[in-house]
Amino acid sequence: MDAGFVKVLGLVFTAVSPDEVRAEWTLRPELMQPYGITHGGVHCAVVETVASTAAAVWLGDRGQVVGVSNTTDFLRASREGTITAVGTPVHRGRLQQLWEVRLTDADDRLLAKGQVRLQNILDADRLGR
């Protein structure tokens, strides 16, 4: 979990279980938008990554998951420091899952909150065909 886009984000997973995933990253200039605050796309990407990781861990070797919806609300701007993301399940069903992810700063202030709906794919060989 430390390769590809996760590595670009600088995301470090600190806890991974079927019921909760925690990750953190430190803000740096390339993650900012022109006004010097964290780019909203970074928040969305972290929400998606944490939710997808959590959903995949829960589903296990029964299949794979793919995101079908990501809604992220931005509540407070951030310019520096470490941000923590915590993902918890809202619903885990046979066909779909819904996860909520909360992003907070070092003072435990809520920066953004998102939810991701994921499809459980039990026949992963059919993906992209």
Side-chain angles (χ1 to χ4, degrees), residues 27-29 31-39 77-80:
L27 294 178
R28 52 189 204 280
L31 300 177
M32 304 300 196
Q33 47 103 304
Y35 298 116
I37 60 176
T38 310
H39 193 288
S78 53
R79 294 181 180 276
E80 60 185 9

Side-chain angles (χ1 to χ4, degrees), residues 13-102:
F13 289 88
T14 58
V16 177
S17 80
D19 298 316
E20 181 181 88
V21 168
R22 291 178 171 267
E24 59 185 34
W25 79 100
T26 301
L27 294 178
R28 52 189 204 280
E30 57 270 28
L31 300 177
M32 304 300 196
Q33 47 103 304
Y35 298 116
I37 60 176
T38 310
H39 193 288
V42 172
H43 288 313
C44 290
V46 170
V47 165
E48 178 95 15
T49 301
V50 168
S52 295
T53 300
V57 169
W58 179 79
L59 190 60
D61 45 351
R62 291 177 284 166
Q64 296 177 353
V65 297
V66 294
V68 294
S69 175
N70 178 337
T71 302
T72 302
D73 294 307
F74 313 113
L75 306 168
R76 177 186 288 271
S78 53
R79 294 181 180 276
E80 60 185 9
T82 299
I83 298 177
T84 300
V86 178
T88 55
V90 175
H91 170 78
R92 294 178 290 193
R94 185 174 55 84
L95 298 177
Q96 291 193 340
Q97 299 181 52
L98 183 64
W99 286 79
E100 178 183 78
V101 180
R102 298 171 63 86

Side-chain angles (χ1 to χ4, degrees), residues 102-119:
R102 298 171 63 86
L103 307 179
T104 56
D105 65 12
D107 295 323
D108 204 33
R109 295 179 296 190
L110 187 61
L111 303 175
K113 183 176 81 97
Q115 69 176 29
V116 178
R117 180 170 297 281
L118 301 111
Q119 185 75 29

